[in-house]
């Protein structure tokens, strides 16, 4: 059965800290792993990862995929209060031709001033 | 601007009163989907559509209907809403060329059924 597990479920950090979020997956016929940021509204797309070992960066956020160990990490450096959100990872299900996304439960990040 | 729009954004209604939540995208995407999000359960797919007149059930289709008469629109219909359908609903779309590609989400509709 395909599944996506995120850890930790939540964390609280001070501004300026670095945060590392984990996403492990079990999917046959893996296609991609997606990271989204959700504040009090719709998920917004961060990264799509398809290849192992190639880091994707956007400002203070970066992410990398390990297809051998079946996990991805999302790093946020020099955190700001605006980084407070739920971070979701997801992957298209192997058995679904549409590419229905299987989401993890999310990691709630709270950045305190 | 490329976007997915939903209406209404907030809705409070009573049990049994039919309602429709609209979804529209301007990216000419073939694939559209409805999700509901509930605390502790994450995002779960309700229905999806792979093109005009092609729809299929997701994980939690009971109590919902959809239609896809035009490529850009994918309304979600609740014929007889019940309190257990109180939730946050998201419409999403993506291009049809790669099922691993990014999905774009609408702003969400918060529905309360009393």
């Amino acid at each position: 059965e395909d599944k996506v597990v995120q850890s930790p479920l939540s964390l609280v950090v001070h501004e300026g800290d670095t945060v590392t979020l984990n996403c492990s997956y079990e999917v046959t016929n893996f296609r991609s792993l997606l990271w989204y940021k959700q504040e009090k509204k719709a998920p917004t797309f961060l990264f799509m990862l398809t290849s192992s070992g190639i880091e994707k960066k956007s400002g203070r956020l970066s992410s990398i995929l390990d297809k051998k160990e079946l996990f991805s990490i999302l790093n946020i450096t020099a955190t700001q209060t605006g980084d407070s959100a739920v971070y979701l990872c997801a992957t298209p299900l192997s058995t679904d031709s549409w590419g229905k996304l299987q989401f993890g439960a999310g990691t709630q990040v709270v950045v305190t001033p | 601007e490329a976007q997915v729009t939903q209406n209404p954004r907030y809705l409070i209604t009573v049990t049994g009163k039919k309602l429709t939540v609209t979804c529209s995208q301007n990216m000419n995407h073939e694939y559209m989907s409805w999700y509901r999000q509930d605390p502790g359960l994450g995002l779960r797919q309700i229905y999806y559509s792979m093109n005009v007149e092609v729809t299929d059930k997701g994980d939690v289709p009971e109590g919902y209907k959809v239609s896809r008469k035009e490529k850009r629109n994918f309304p979600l219909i609740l014929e007889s809403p019940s309190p257990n359908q109180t939730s946050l609903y998201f419409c999403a779309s993506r291009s049809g060329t790669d099922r691993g590609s990014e999905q774009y989400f609408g702003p969400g509709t918060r529905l309360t059924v009393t």
Side-chain angles (χ1 to χ4, degrees), chain A residues 25 49-55 64-69 71:
Chain A
Y25 62 91
L49 303 160
T50 56
S51 301
S52 261
I54 299 175
E55 184 181 53
I64 197 160
L65 177 69
D66 186 327
K67 289 169 76 172
K68 181 180 177 184
E69 299 298 330
F71 75 91

Side-chain angles (χ1 to χ4, degrees), chain B residues 31-64:
Chain B
Y31 290 69
M32 299 185 73
S33 177
W34 277 102
Y35 293 87
R36 61 178 287 176
Q37 186 174 35
D38 302 289
L41 297 176
L43 280 151
R44 294 177 294 167
Q45 191 180 50
I46 304 170
Y47 267 96
Y48 62 96
S49 169
M50 291 192 278
N51 215 323
V52 175
E53 302 292 0
V54 181
T55 64
D56 209 346
K57 296 177 181 179
D59 297 318
V60 287
E62 294 79 18
Y64 303 95

Side-chain angles (χ1 to χ4, degrees), chain B residues 30-106:
Chain B
E30 291 83 0
Y31 290 69
M32 299 185 73
S33 177
W34 277 102
Y35 293 87
R36 61 178 287 176
Q37 186 174 35
D38 302 289
L41 297 176
L43 280 151
R44 294 177 294 167
Q45 191 180 50
I46 304 170
Y47 267 96
Y48 62 96
S49 169
M50 291 192 278
N51 215 323
V52 175
E53 302 292 0
V54 181
T55 64
D56 209 346
K57 296 177 181 179
D59 297 318
V60 287
E62 294 79 18
Y64 303 95
K65 285 174 58 178
V66 292
S67 70
R68 189 89 181 275
K69 293 186 172 61
E70 305 165 280
K71 197 173 187 180
R72 64 182 291 128
N73 296 322
F74 190 44
L76 180 69
I77 303 156
L78 284 72
E79 294 272 4
S80 183
S82 61
N84 65 12
Q85 292 178 299
T86 293
S87 187
L88 179 59
Y89 292 86
F90 291 105
C91 180
S93 74
R94 71 167 180 86
S95 168
T97 54
D98 181 359
R99 70 182 178 95
S101 64
E102 172 190 352
Q103 295 189 18
Y104 295 84
F105 285 82

Side-chain angles (χ1 to χ4, degrees), chain A residues 22-104:
Chain A
N22 297 286
C23 175
S24 65
Y25 62 91
E26 290 180 26
V27 179
T28 49
N29 299 319
F30 173 84
R31 291 297 297 259
S32 62
L33 189 130
L34 307 169
W35 282 98
Y36 287 87
K37 176 183 180 181
Q38 186 176 24
E39 297 168 270
K40 291 188 185 300
K41 50 187 178 180
T44 52
F45 175 75
L46 294 175
F47 298 111
M48 183 172 79
L49 303 160
T50 56
S51 301
S52 261
I54 299 175
E55 184 181 53
K56 293 219 172 177
K57 282 182 71 73
S58 177
R60 295 175 295 100
L61 276 66
S62 64
S63 184
I64 197 160
L65 177 69
D66 186 327
K67 289 169 76 172
K68 181 180 177 184
E69 299 298 330
L70 306 182
F71 75 91
S72 174
I73 60 171
L74 176 69
N75 277 319
I76 310 173
T77 59
T79 51
Q80 302 171 358
T81 55
D83 295 326
S84 295
V86 174
Y87 291 84
L88 300 163
C89 68
T91 186
L93 291 182
S94 58
T95 55
D96 184 80
S97 60
W98 188 84
K100 178 175 68 173
L101 287 178
Q102 177 73 41
F103 282 89

